[in-house]
Amino acid sequence: MTLEAESYDFVVVANRLPVDSVTEPDGSQGWKLSPGGLVTALEPVMRSADGAWIGWPGAADTHIDPFEHDGITMVPVALDETEVERYYEGFSNDTLWPLYHDVIAQPSYHREWWDSYVTVNRRFADRAAALASHGGVVWVHDYQLQLVPGMLREKRPDLTIGFFNHIPFPAYGLYSQLPWRRQILSGLLGADVIGFQRTADAGNFQRAVRRLFGYETRGSSIRVPLEDTSERRPEKSRTVVARAFPISIDSASFAELAQNPDVIERARQIREDLGNPKTILFGVDRLDYTKGIRHRLKAFAELLQDGRLDAEETTLIQVASPSRERVAAYMELRDEIEMTVGRINGDYGSIGRAPVHYLHHGYPRDEMVALYLAADVMLVTALRDGMNLVAKEYVASRIDGDGVLILSEFAGASDDLRQALLINPHDIQGVKEAIMTAVDMEPRERKRRMRALRRRVLENDVAKWSQTFLDELSRASHASGGAPVPGGADAEDAREDRE
């Protein structure tokens, strides 16, 4: 029996496979697990439940048979060049992304992009329907695949289906602009449990459902009418749970890396290479217009101009990893950021001393932890962000109990990390004051705040996030008479009953 012919009790469906292609020393092509909290959280469940992960390999016109990697079955879904352009770069990232991020950039609405989105979602749904065992569990992830739950429900009503939205869900006044707003909601309501990063996002979704469909909502529950009320399905409705499950990180692994002598030495070397400035400010983001990079650069430049910060004593490191480089809005953003950095360094720099060190590439995790340890102040100025895990990575890495986190109130992480200095990134004067508060903060106050932040991040890690979601999915499955959910509370009860 081939891998594709097997069935699986637990299937994850995401836009991307959790592996990257690598060239082995002998020249052959191999795979390595991608770094990321989602992979870390689901690995144990996938292995124990004999799970499969469905996703795109990341390159157009790449046709690969299912394969096993590190105990997990990988099931690639191919996209051709046109689908990458229309489904991924187009509808996902030039329609949904800006719309769901409060229209910071103007969304584009094209019918051919929507048609491609439907086609690709159908392909993912068909693959999941073919792979999932009877009564199995399918967990679908993120905005690229919002139609998959509904499509799966039509083909496989025996399945327990979860969906998690990793980005914000917009208020109805914005969401209502979407020409295909009803179709997206119908797709999501095919799930038994729909997870969001923030309570406000879940509330926005429920309001959209009430406005467009008139369905009854109570607490986190939505009553969805059933079209089939025959003898086989005599009930008139099913319950969908829509609530917040704030995602987190593998905090223990960051704390462990921060204790590595090589990483500690690298942090010391970074400060030395920068001339041992009094204060290092640090920002790390994908190069995206939602991250507020322009706002923090403006605030920093004004502090230098006002003389409140000294360019000889203060350095800003800005890491901006490449993102969606074929999308026009991102190309324009890169040009603007690089021009701004050049202007600041030209106005306030000196020989051997640049106020801003701008780095347009990604870094491995150990280098990132070294940068977190080297930074006195972490700047997270997102204009809109589902969660922002960088804020949590910084906190988890600060095993010395030092450092100050400046955090946008428009990032989901602000719900958890209340001991950060919370800012409105649109208020440049407020950002400036927060930076000065962080720079001048007494060591005792820094440590008090960081201690509280670390307690929160270490207690609520990514394993707890996945467990909480699977427990909710397990309750939904149990209520509908379904099988125990792998990794959920009912699975442990079922195991004990068998024993």
Side-chain angles (χ1 to χ4, degrees):
M1 180 182 290
T2 65
L3 286 175
E4 196 165 11
E6 296 180 7
S7 62
Y8 300 87
D9 293 336
F10 186 65
V11 177
V12 172
V13 185
N15 179 62
R16 287 291 302 271
L17 287 174
V19 288
D20 297 317
S21 178
V22 294
T23 302
E24 303 292 355
D26 61 3
S28 63
Q29 288 300 117
W31 301 93
K32 69 171 183 178
L33 276 179
S34 309
L38 185 60
V39 183
T40 303
L42 297 183
E43 257 187 293
V45 182
M46 303 275 306
R47 289 200 182 92
S48 64
D50 185 28
W53 190 305
I54 298 171
W56 175 44
D61 298 307
T62 303
H63 298 269
I64 304 169
D65 290 332
F67 61 94
E68 188 173 298
H69 179 81
D70 205 16
I72 301 173
T73 299
M74 305 291 174
V75 183
V77 172
L79 303 179
D80 63 32
E81 187 65 42
T82 300
E83 288 167 340
V84 172
E85 179 185 337
R86 293 180 177 178
Y87 148 78
Y88 181 65
E89 295 175 347
F91 195 79
S92 294
N93 292 325
D94 208 10
T95 300
L96 293 176
W97 180 269
L99 178 66
Y100 281 32
H101 286 84
D102 292 355
V103 193
I104 295 168
Q106 187 62 36
S108 300
Y109 303 113
H110 298 294
R111 283 169 290 181
E112 64 270 20
W113 288 4
W114 166 252
D115 292 341
S116 184
Y117 186 81
V118 174
T119 297
V120 173
N121 272 246
R122 176 71 65 187
R123 188 175 304 148
F124 276 84
D126 288 346
R127 186 60 61 89
L131 285 175
S133 60
H134 183 78
V137 176
V138 178
W139 191 357
V140 186
H141 287 268
D142 226 0
Y143 64 103
Q144 301 97 341
L145 301 173
Q146 292 175 103
L147 301 179
V148 170
M151 293 171 169
L152 262 180
R153 178 72 53 194
E154 290 177 5
K155 294 177 73 75
R156 294 287 306 276
D158 60 294
L159 296 174
T160 298
I161 304 169
F163 181 90
F164 187 77
N165 195 55
H166 292 258
I167 68 173
F169 194 90
Y172 182 75
L174 294 175
Y175 181 75
S176 61
Q177 297 179 22
L178 185 65
W180 307 277
R181 57 197 184 183
R182 292 178 65 90
Q183 293 95 315
I184 293 288
L185 290 186
S186 293
L188 291 171
L189 288 170
D192 296 287
V193 178
I194 308 170
F196 298 92
Q197 299 281 25
R198 308 181 82 168
T199 300
D201 297 325
N204 288 342
F205 174 76
Q206 291 198 13
R207 278 187 285 276
V209 169
R210 288 196 299 270
R211 291 287 295 272
L212 292 172
F213 293 117
Y215 295 165
E216 176 190 351
T217 64
R218 181 173 298 176
S220 62
S221 298
I222 304 171
R223 301 297 295 176
V224 180
L226 290 173
E227 294 181 7
D228 180 7
T229 55
S230 61
E231 291 183 6
R232 183 174 64 85
R233 296 291 297 273
E235 66 272 23
K236 294 183 179 180
S237 64
R238 46 183 284 270
T239 299
V240 175
V241 173
R243 72 175 185 87
F245 300 85
I247 199 170
S248 192
I249 61 169
D250 181 13
S251 47
S253 71
F254 280 90
E256 183 179 348
L257 258 179
Q259 299 176 64
N260 185 308
D262 292 339
V263 173
I264 295 171
E265 170 58 24
R266 175 60 184 146
R268 187 201 63 78
Q269 183 185 352
I270 288 170
R271 293 194 72 97
E272 186 175 301
D273 290 346
L274 293 172
N276 286 313
K278 179 181 176 182
T279 304
I280 294 178
L281 310 175
F282 184 39
V284 54
D285 314 85
R286 283 188 310 103
L287 188 59
D288 193 290
Y289 49 75
T290 64
K291 301 300 183 180
I293 300 173
R294 288 173 288 200
H295 296 63
R296 81 182 60 143
L297 288 173
K298 181 175 178 61
F300 181 64
E302 287 190 11
L303 286 170
L304 294 174
Q305 182 180 14
D306 297 344
R308 299 179 70 186
L309 288 180
D310 185 344
E312 296 296 315
E313 296 183 345
T314 311
T315 297
L316 169 62
I317 304 173
Q318 176 61 57
V319 174
S321 57
S323 176
R324 300 167 190 163
E325 295 194 291
R326 301 201 307 182
V327 178
Y330 290 80
M331 291 188 284
E332 293 170 8
L333 176 64
R334 178 179 179 180
D335 290 344
E336 183 180 346
I337 296 298
E338 292 179 353
M339 185 168 61
T340 302
V341 169
R343 185 183 303 121
I344 294 171
N345 286 338
D347 288 347
Y348 304 105
S350 59
I351 294 175
R353 176 80 72 173
V356 182
H357 288 260
Y358 173 74
L359 306 160
H360 183 59
H361 50 85
Y363 284 99
R365 181 176 289 187
D366 56 349
E367 181 73 0
M368 287 307 307
V369 172
L371 284 162
Y372 291 145
L373 288 174
D376 301 290
V377 180
M378 185 78 206
L379 291 168
V380 178
T381 57
L383 306 181
R384 191 75 163 95
D385 219 337
M387 179 53 60
N388 194 287
L389 297 179
V390 162
K392 296 188 176 185
E393 291 175 4
Y394 178 70
V395 169
S397 300
R398 294 310 301 238
I399 58 171
D400 57 356
D402 207 351
V404 182
L405 172 63
I406 295 176
L407 178 60
S408 167
E409 64 190 60
F410 303 123
S414 67
D415 290 349
D416 271 347
L417 306 182
R418 306 302 296 178
Q419 291 299 317
L421 296 180
L422 298 181
I423 57 161
N424 173 359
H426 299 283
D427 175 11
I428 299 300
Q429 188 61 36
V431 176
K432 291 166 62 177
E433 296 305 324
I435 291 173
M436 293 312 302
T437 298
V439 169
D440 296 333
M441 189 178 291
E442 293 293 329
R444 184 175 178 180
E445 177 66 5
R446 291 200 307 265
K447 290 182 180 296
R448 183 191 70 78
R449 288 174 175 269
M450 186 56 70
R451 186 164 55 247
L453 291 171
R454 283 182 54 75
R455 186 182 310 117
R456 188 74 178 168
V457 170
L458 292 171
E459 288 175 357
N460 296 283
D461 64 1
V462 73
K464 185 173 181 179
W465 165 78
S466 64
Q467 187 64 59
T468 304
F469 189 94
L470 290 171
D471 285 348
E472 188 68 63
L473 204 55
S474 186
R475 284 188 284 272
S477 178
H478 180 75
S480 63
V485 172
D490 281 355
E492 182 65 19
D493 294 342
R495 185 185 64 80
E496 290 177 357
D497 290 343
R498 288 195 302 272
E499 292 175 351

